[in-house]
């Protein structure tokens, strides 16, 4: 933590660095295990996460919901389909896209990785009070929910 102090004191990226740091420290260890044990990388889990919550998404939907770029999600979806963790079917509304649905095997992998992330999240948030957690969630929701195009997938 001593070496981190000057970086945290910097005004160059007071929020962006902190968000990135927390994201990396939170998820990095879990995604290392997920890749080793399940062959699932972060973008693949993002696609599983989205399709576990919503049926019949397109890859474009997953990009918008996860904030991950189109090429990265396209590769993730292909790998998940090859591993039979995700299924594609024609999109009757748009023949240029496919509808994605998580498979039972995908749901099992998703559940196992989600449990590890939930444990990691509990540890990350342990120093915060219930009120602080609620406030942090509200602030993050406000940043995510903006509709000015800032968060458009790249």
């Amino acid at each position: 933590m001593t070496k981190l102090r000057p970086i945290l004191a910097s005004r160059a990226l007071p929020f962006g660095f902190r968000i990135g740091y927390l994201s990396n420290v939170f998820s990095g260890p879990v995604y290392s295990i997920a890749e080793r044990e399940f062959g699932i990388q972060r973008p693949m889990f993002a696609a599983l996460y989205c399709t576990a919550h919503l049926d019949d998404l397109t890859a474009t939907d997953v990009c918008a919901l996860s904030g991950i770029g189109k090429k990265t999600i396209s590769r993730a979806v292909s790998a998940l389909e090859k591993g039979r963790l995700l299924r594609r079917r024609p999109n009757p509304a748009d023949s240029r896209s496919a509808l994605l649905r998580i498979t039972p095997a995908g749901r099992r992998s998703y559940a196992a990785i989600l449990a590890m992330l939930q444990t990691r999240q509990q540890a990350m948030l342990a120093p915060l009070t219930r009120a602080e957690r609620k406030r942090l969630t509200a602030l993050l929701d406000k940043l995510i929910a903006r509709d000015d195009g800032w968060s458009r997938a790249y």
Side-chain angles (χ1 to χ4, degrees):
M1 183 63 174
T2 305
K3 289 185 179 184
L4 195 54
R5 282 194 184 110
I7 293 172
L8 294 176
S10 169
R11 295 197 173 268
L13 283 173
F15 302 106
F17 179 82
R18 284 168 171 80
I19 290 170
Y21 175 85
L22 287 173
S23 176
N24 292 333
V25 171
F26 160 69
S27 63
V30 172
Y31 289 127
S32 291
I33 295 168
E35 187 167 4
R36 186 174 61 249
E37 292 185 12
F38 301 97
I40 295 175
Q41 300 169 339
R42 181 182 172 271
M44 296 165 73
F45 182 78
L48 289 176
Y49 189 88
C50 293
T51 57
H53 289 86
L54 297 164
D55 289 333
D56 295 333
L57 294 175
T58 65
T60 301
D61 293 330
V62 174
C63 292
L65 293 166
S66 66
I68 298 174
K70 293 176 186 178
K71 288 180 184 178
T72 303
I73 289 298
S74 177
R75 285 189 298 270
V77 166
S78 293
L80 290 166
E81 184 181 32
K82 185 178 179 182
R84 301 179 192 259
L85 303 176
L86 207 60
R87 188 175 61 240
R88 289 188 224 218
R89 68 177 179 85
N91 183 351
D94 183 355
S95 61
R96 297 168 298 165
S97 68
L99 299 176
L100 308 174
R101 188 167 285 210
I102 193 169
T103 65
R107 199 166 290 281
R108 286 189 297 275
S109 295
Y110 161 78
I113 297 166
L114 180 65
M116 290 186 284
L117 287 166
Q118 289 171 329
T119 298
R120 190 86 178 136
Q121 179 176 271
Q122 285 178 324
M124 178 177 66
L125 297 175
L128 301 180
T129 67
R130 185 180 192 94
E132 288 170 331
R133 289 178 188 201
K134 189 174 182 179
R135 181 70 179 143
L136 177 59
T137 299
L139 291 170
L140 292 172
D141 285 350
K142 185 175 182 176
L143 290 173
I144 291 167
R146 60 192 279 186
D147 63 359
D148 60 3
W150 180 85
S151 61
R152 190 176 7 256
Y154 52 96

